[in-house]
Amino acid sequence: MATIKGYLQGANQWFLRTPERALDEAYEAALRIKAIEDAHFGGSKISTDYGTYSKSAQDYFQSELTKYLNIAKVRLAEFKTSSSILQISNQKITEIQLEENADLRAISIIDKPGLILKKLRIVDEVLARYSSVRQKPSSLISISESTQITDVKVRQPGRIEPQNNSPDQSAKKQPKPDLSTDGDSIADKTGVLPRSILRTVDRIKRELDPKAEEQVVDSFRSSKARTVISLRFILLLIIIPLLTQQISKNFLIGPLVDSLRDEEQAEVFLNAEMEEEALDELHRYEERIRFESFIGKAPPVSEEAIAEVLRHRASEIEEEYRQRSSNAIKNVFSDLISLIAFTGVIYFSKREIEVLKSFFDELVYGLSDSAKAFIIILLTDTFVGFHSPHGWEVILEGVSRHLGLPANRDFIFLFIATFPVILDTVFKYWIFRYLNRISPSAVATYKTMNE
């Protein structure tokens, strides 16, 4: 009863802290964006027009910006919804702010409403700064004021396209594009000087900055820390489930199964397939004895001697398959415990997963187009290629034998006929939807190599 009451109290406290938790996550996302601005964009907003970063680096910054903006927007909406129900501003929580080398006699104390307003101000400033990121003048065509709203639809923010009307209707409904509108002209889009010259000047300014070396060192340290965290997390994902499986099997599940499973009365074979394998093995052993006796390699033996030898061999096979059946039962429970451990590592490592994602993004973006195409062809040919059904068949039979299950041929053939096809569709969709957008040259290289 006390345990249930504790769970209810914990759930109630978790529910009451929903507005505060949502605001903290939105505030943290805003701080992440500001950190990227300060570290790589000189305090300005994240833009592809700043600096001399490569396309891969710009794509990485844009993906990080999109991720944290989405988090901030969702969590801010959650805060507004939950705060209308829960009165978090009445909670007696304060924040003490200390300036560097500040006098302890002059301490700035912010109560809960002030702390909420402070975080909301920072989140709103970041969101307002990027509220028009997707609506910047990326198109040279402007719609005049006489255009009807019903004649256009917004497919992407900042991109207005006509509906699926006939060419004649489109020509009647839409006026001609105005290329001389202020703010959307070609001169405003490209600038007076070529963008490459501006980037070169900006690069020289950054190199002459006294803090440039410190920024490079900080960037290297950040990259090193990300690599170390990612590799350590990958090792944990591999080592922890394996250790959990072995330890639970040998020290927990194994003794428990051995104590509950009577070796004398328990079934020797878990399924008919194991029994068939044992009988085939005994039959081959008998045929080998008779063959060696017939060719003179072994002295002639009587039927009684053959029966005695076969009886001894049958006892050995019985013990072997009884042990295999016991191991299969142990594997089922130890694998479940290992899966729970793997899920726990994933659940409690959300920050490490974000770091690992950024590490893989940077690693993939840093590859050449031919290397990307090579990896894609290797993966597709291995898992969905012409010879992949044989590999899937071996894997499924091995899993069945590990768990003591009969290898159902109908299930294996059905799996091979459906799963690689689904996987191939996912690969093709990823190439079309994602890779074709971030690296068209890699897609072209992939098509050339795959022909």
Side-chain angles (χ1 to χ4, degrees):
M1 188 66 182
T3 304
I4 298 176
K5 185 178 180 181
Y7 286 152
L8 293 177
Q9 290 178 351
N12 185 34
Q13 296 216 358
W14 181 87
F15 177 72
L16 293 176
R17 289 179 57 86
T18 299
E20 182 181 355
R21 184 172 59 255
L23 180 59
D24 289 340
E25 293 184 7
Y27 178 67
E28 180 69 20
L31 292 182
R32 293 289 185 89
I33 296 176
K34 289 177 64 66
I36 296 177
E37 293 175 347
D38 297 337
H40 303 284
F41 292 88
S44 303
K45 69 178 185 179
I46 301 173
S47 173
T48 56
D49 299 333
Y50 183 89
T52 58
Y53 295 110
S54 63
K55 184 178 182 303
S56 299
Q58 293 288 358
D59 291 339
Y60 168 73
F61 289 135
Q62 291 298 324
S63 64
E64 292 292 298
L65 173 63
T66 303
K67 178 178 69 175
Y68 290 126
L69 281 178
N70 291 334
I71 293 175
K73 291 177 182 178
V74 172
R75 295 309 179 189
L76 186 60
E78 181 182 354
F79 166 77
K80 293 178 180 178
T81 303
S82 57
S83 61
S84 63
I85 303 174
L86 305 173
Q87 299 294 329
I88 65 171
S89 60
N90 295 332
Q91 300 177 13
K92 297 180 180 180
I93 301 178
T94 60
E95 181 188 73
I96 300 177
Q97 289 189 338
L98 292 177
E99 301 291 339
E100 187 176 0
N101 299 325
D103 189 358
L104 296 180
R105 292 172 296 180
I107 299 178
S108 176
I109 301 179
I110 303 178
D111 57 0
K112 190 62 180 179
L115 180 60
I116 294 174
L117 293 177
K118 171 189 172 184
K119 294 181 178 180
L120 285 175
R121 186 180 70 252
I122 294 177
V123 174
D124 290 338
E125 288 176 357
V126 173
L127 294 180
R129 190 154 59 245
Y130 293 96
S131 61
S132 60
V133 170
R134 302 295 183 183
Q135 301 176 356
K136 62 183 182 180
S138 58
S139 175
L140 301 182
I141 299 178
S142 62
I143 307 298
S144 64
E145 295 180 356
S146 61
T147 304
Q148 297 295 328
I149 299 299
T150 58
D151 295 338
V152 295
K153 66 176 181 178
V154 179
R155 181 170 295 179
Q156 293 179 353
R159 180 181 178 183
I160 303 179
E161 296 182 353
Q163 292 181 347
N164 294 330
N165 299 326
S166 61
D168 296 337
Q169 292 175 348
S170 299
K172 291 179 181 179
K173 291 183 179 180
Q174 290 199 8
K176 291 183 179 180
D178 185 8
L179 299 180
S180 61
T181 304
D182 292 338
D184 289 332
S185 63
I186 298 178
D188 292 336
K189 174 64 180 177
T190 59
V192 179
L193 295 177
R195 187 176 299 176
S196 60
I197 297 179
L198 297 178
R199 289 180 177 178
T200 303
V201 173
D202 186 74
R203 180 175 60 83
I204 295 175
K205 288 171 58 179
R206 288 193 295 109
E207 290 177 352
L208 295 178
D209 188 0
K211 297 182 179 179
E213 183 177 356
E214 182 179 352
Q215 293 176 357
V216 172
V217 173
D218 292 340
S219 177
F220 172 76
R221 290 176 178 173
S222 176
S223 178
K224 181 181 178 181
R226 181 168 59 249
T227 302
V228 172
I229 293 174
S230 301
L231 295 179
R232 183 176 59 189
F233 182 63
I234 292 174
L235 290 177
L236 288 178
L237 289 178
I238 298 174
I239 294 175
I240 289 181
L242 291 178
L243 286 179
T244 305
Q245 199 269 349
Q246 293 296 321
I247 293 175
S248 61
K249 179 180 178 180
N250 295 324
F251 299 101
L252 178 63
I253 303 299
L256 185 62
V257 171
D258 292 338
S259 61
L260 297 178
R261 179 180 168 87
D262 190 358
E263 294 294 337
E264 298 297 332
Q265 299 180 358
E267 292 291 336
V268 179
F269 309 107
L270 290 180
N271 51 69
E273 184 177 343
M274 295 177 65
E275 183 177 1
E276 184 178 354
E277 291 179 2
L279 294 177
D280 289 340
E281 185 176 351
L282 183 62
H283 179 69
R284 288 195 302 269
Y285 185 76
E286 180 182 2
E287 294 296 330
R288 186 183 302 112
I289 294 175
R290 295 184 182 278
F291 179 76
E292 292 178 353
S293 177
F294 289 156
I295 65 175
K297 192 174 181 180
V301 291
S302 61
E303 291 297 328
E304 292 79 6
I306 293 177
E308 183 65 25
V309 173
L310 291 178
R311 190 178 298 108
H312 179 71
R313 179 58 181 167
S315 301
E316 294 179 352
I317 293 177
E318 178 190 10
E319 182 64 25
E320 178 184 351
Y321 277 84
R322 194 186 299 274
Q323 188 66 28
R324 282 182 55 181
S325 300
S326 179
N327 284 332
I329 297 175
K330 297 175 184 177
N331 289 333
V332 173
F333 294 101
S334 59
D335 289 349
L336 287 177
I337 297 176
S338 176
L339 181 61
I340 294 174
F342 180 81
T343 306
V345 173
I346 295 293
Y347 180 78
F348 292 105
S349 304
K350 296 181 179 179
R351 190 176 299 273
E352 285 79 3
I353 292 175
E354 294 180 0
V355 175
L356 181 63
K357 181 180 178 299
S358 64
F359 171 76
F360 276 119
D361 288 341
E362 183 179 0
L363 189 64
V364 172
Y365 291 149
L367 295 175
S368 62
D369 296 335
S370 58
K372 294 176 185 176
F374 171 78
I375 293 176
I376 294 173
I377 292 175
L378 179 63
L379 293 177
T380 53
D381 287 351
T382 301
F383 294 103
V384 298
F386 178 74
H387 299 287
S388 62
H390 304 289
W392 287 113
E393 186 175 355
V394 172
I395 292 174
L396 293 176
E397 289 181 354
V399 172
S400 300
R401 190 178 298 108
H402 176 75
L403 299 177
L405 301 174
N408 192 328
R409 309 301 299 177
D410 295 335
F411 171 78
I412 292 177
F413 292 150
L414 181 62
F415 181 89
I416 293 174
T418 55
F419 184 75
V421 176
I422 297 174
L423 203 59
D424 183 51
T425 305
V426 172
F427 268 117
K428 290 179 179 178
Y429 179 80
W430 176 78
I431 292 172
F432 171 77
R433 184 74 177 175
Y434 181 72
L435 188 63
N436 198 31
R437 177 168 53 88
I438 65 173
S439 183
S441 57
V443 177
T445 306
Y446 163 73
K447 292 180 179 179
T448 303
M449 294 176 63
N450 205 24
E451 290 178 353

